Amino acid sequence: MAKLSVRTDQPEKPATFAAKPARGPRLTTAAATPPPPRRRKGISFGAPINAKGQAVFTRQLATLVKAGMPIMRSLEVLARQEKRPAFKVVVEDCADTIRSGGNFSDGLGAHPKAFDRLYVNMVKAGEAGGVLDKVLERLAVFTEKSVKIKGKIVSAMVYPAIISCVAGGIMIVLMVFVVPKFQEVFFTMLKGKPLPWLTSVVVAIADAMRNNILMVLGLLAVAFVLFWLFKKSAFGTRVLHWMLLHVPVLGDLFLKAGVARFTRTFGTLLASGVPILQALIITRDTSGNVHIANAINVVHDRVKEGDNVAKPLESTRVFPGMVTSMIEVGEETGALPDMLVRIADNYDEEVDNAVDALTSIIEPIMIVFMAVGVGIIVIAMFLPMVELIKSLSA
């Protein structure tokens, strides 16, 4: 009876002992699970940082990581010196994500307004390959080049826009306020005699602008709203993007800028270890032009079927032949990322030269147009005085 009681007690002990570990891991796992990162909220309108600020942040982060400082410590240092409250929240949140056991790319992905898919995927590839310092260095170079080329194009567009606004403002002031004063003087001095034809045309235009100023402003506002709606539509986007690539003089500039953006983005992603199909999708989404995006989409589908990049890219007839030829050489030699970056550097230089040449041409043209417009008004105002002097001398 004693032996039987011992045998019946022994099976119960393992069962009881096994039940304790079953509860133990649950308690241990729950205790070891880090709390989710605390998402701070900051007041921001639009993106918390612009492209130039992102380039500076990436360069500073790449320098700290390359010097051997851990990524979390680097983010804490950059967060302390950050002056923009909204972006300071973003950097602190990325540091909290790493502190709670996540990856840097997870923290970046939680803030799509500050970091796009290109940025996040490159960091993710760098983390997977253990080369985050090199990827951050490539990202710093990429963002700095992008800011530089964008600044060049914007400066080329801003100058003529400012000159046009100034010239238009001067013309409106002359036509609405100055010409009517001269008109009263002419009617008093000439005593009903007809005005010269040029003066009559200018006076008629001035009367129309002064009497219908509200209607003109309303038409301008309606035209602006219609253009904005047209630009937001799919058809309008396609039309405007096609015009940007084919308009005389400026079309070549925008095409070169698009080629430089495509090759630099694609090459940087490939060099960072991003798979080619994923790199093509990211490049397509960040191309900035519908027609270039459609061409990249064709390449993606063909590469997915087993084709290379150069042949389908050439079949789209969007990119210049030299670009597709250099890409083909890069594929044959196995140095496609380096070849793409080399193409981007070449086209960035061409864009710089084109912008400088365009700016040097636009300056005298805009000055001539403004001088002609103001000169016509001045001449039209002095012609009646010449006629009056002739009549008095006669």
Side-chain angles (χ1 to χ4, degrees), residues 254-303:
F254 284 111
L255 178 60
K256 289 179 179 178
V259 170
R261 182 178 180 84
F262 161 71
T263 52
R264 188 170 299 282
T265 305
F266 191 33
T268 305
L269 287 169
L270 292 179
S272 302
V274 179
I276 185 169
L277 292 177
Q278 187 179 359
L280 285 170
I281 293 175
I282 297 171
T283 307
R284 177 198 65 190
D285 296 340
T286 58
S287 62
N289 189 286
V290 172
H291 301 281
I292 294 178
N294 291 337
I296 299 173
N297 201 37
V298 171
V299 175
H300 172 269
D301 295 339
R302 294 277 293 275
V303 171

Side-chain angles (χ1 to χ4, degrees), residues 333-355:
T333 58
L336 181 58
D338 295 335
M339 185 63 74
L340 288 168
V341 174
R342 194 174 302 173
I343 295 171
D345 291 337
N346 184 28
Y347 271 84
D348 282 344
E349 186 176 354
E350 290 191 16
V351 169
D352 289 343
N353 297 332
V355 169

Side-chain angles (χ1 to χ4, degrees), residues 51-124:
K52 187 176 180 180
Q54 188 186 84
V56 174
F57 166 77
T58 307
R59 171 58 65 188
Q60 292 175 343
L61 182 61
T63 303
L64 292 175
V65 173
K66 191 175 181 180
M69 185 178 290
I71 183 67
M72 188 180 71
R73 176 64 176 161
S74 302
L75 290 173
E76 290 173 349
V77 171
L78 294 177
R80 281 200 302 269
Q81 71 177 18
E82 182 58 47
K83 303 299 183 183
R84 289 158 291 211
F87 190 64
K88 183 182 180 70
V89 170
V90 173
V91 178
E92 290 176 347
D93 188 69
C94 291
D96 287 344
T97 302
I98 299 173
R99 190 179 296 109
S100 61
N103 294 324
F104 182 37
S105 57
D106 298 332
L108 296 175
H111 300 280
K113 289 185 178 181
F115 302 100
D116 56 9
R117 289 182 58 195
L118 168 66
Y119 203 105
V120 175
N121 280 275
M122 284 185 64
V123 171
K124 187 179 295 184

Side-chain angles (χ1 to χ4, degrees), residues 79-348:
R80 281 200 302 269
Q81 71 177 18
E82 182 58 47
K83 303 299 183 183
R84 289 158 291 211
F87 190 64
K88 183 182 180 70
V89 170
V90 173
V91 178
E92 290 176 347
D93 188 69
C94 291
D96 287 344
T97 302
I98 299 173
R99 190 179 296 109
S100 61
N103 294 324
F104 182 37
S105 57
D106 298 332
L108 296 175
H111 300 280
K113 289 185 178 181
F115 302 100
D116 56 9
R117 289 182 58 195
L118 168 66
Y119 203 105
V120 175
N121 280 275
M122 284 185 64
V123 171
K124 187 179 295 184
E127 290 174 333
V131 288
L132 183 59
D133 55 342
K134 296 181 180 179
V135 170
L136 288 174
E137 184 70 24
R138 292 193 188 102
L139 263 174
V141 174
F142 175 81
T143 52
E144 288 166 355
K145 290 279 187 180
S146 300
V147 168
K148 180 181 177 183
I149 196 67
K150 184 178 179 180
K152 283 279 187 180
I153 296 176
V154 169
S155 64
M157 299 297 104
V158 165
Y159 182 79
I162 293 176
I163 295 296
S164 301
C165 291
V166 172
I170 293 174
M171 297 286 288
I172 291 174
V173 170
L174 290 176
M175 297 294 284
V176 174
F177 298 102
V178 178
V179 172
K181 299 296 182 181
F182 277 90
Q183 182 181 0
E184 296 175 0
V185 175
F186 296 153
F187 283 130
T188 303
M189 297 176 63
L190 294 177
K191 298 178 180 180
K193 293 182 180 179
L195 295 172
W197 68 271
L198 182 60
T199 307
S200 301
V201 171
V202 172
V203 168
I205 295 174
D207 289 339
M209 291 179 63
R210 185 180 57 181
N211 297 330
N212 303 295
I213 186 66
L214 295 178
M215 186 177 68
V216 171
L217 294 176
L219 290 175
L220 290 176
V222 171
F224 176 79
V225 172
L226 292 177
F227 176 78
W228 184 80
L229 294 175
F230 178 74
K231 181 181 177 182
K232 289 295 181 181
S233 65
F235 176 74
T237 302
R238 291 181 61 87
V239 171
L240 293 176
H241 286 186
W242 185 90
M243 292 176 62
L244 286 177
L245 295 178
H246 296 86
V247 68
V249 182
L250 292 178
D252 186 57
L253 174 63
F254 284 111
L255 178 60
K256 289 179 179 178
V259 170
R261 182 178 180 84
F262 161 71
T263 52
R264 188 170 299 282
T265 305
F266 191 33
T268 305
L269 287 169
L270 292 179
S272 302
V274 179
I276 185 169
L277 292 177
Q278 187 179 359
L280 285 170
I281 293 175
I282 297 171
T283 307
R284 177 198 65 190
D285 296 340
T286 58
S287 62
N289 189 286
V290 172
H291 301 281
I292 294 178
N294 291 337
I296 299 173
N297 201 37
V298 171
V299 175
H300 172 269
D301 295 339
R302 294 277 293 275
V303 171
K304 191 176 182 180
E305 295 173 358
D307 207 344
N308 57 9
V309 176
K311 293 298 181 182
L313 194 66
E314 184 180 6
S315 66
T316 60
R317 300 184 182 277
V318 175
F319 294 89
M322 188 193 76
V323 175
T324 56
S325 299
M326 293 182 70
I327 291 176
E328 186 174 7
V329 172
E331 289 179 316
E332 293 175 355
T333 58
L336 181 58
D338 295 335
M339 185 63 74
L340 288 168
V341 174
R342 194 174 302 173
I343 295 171
D345 291 337
N346 184 28
Y347 271 84
D348 282 344

Side-chain angles (χ1 to χ4, degrees), residues 9-61:
D9 291 342
Q10 285 178 350
E12 294 177 2
K13 288 181 180 180
T16 307
F17 185 75
K20 289 180 180 178
R23 290 193 302 267
R26 290 174 190 166
L27 295 173
T28 306
T29 305
T33 302
R38 180 168 56 90
R39 301 296 181 193
R40 299 181 178 87
K41 292 184 179 180
I43 300 175
S44 62
F45 300 94
I49 192 171
N50 55 16
K52 187 176 180 180
Q54 188 186 84
V56 174
F57 166 77
T58 307
R59 171 58 65 188
Q60 292 175 343
L61 182 61

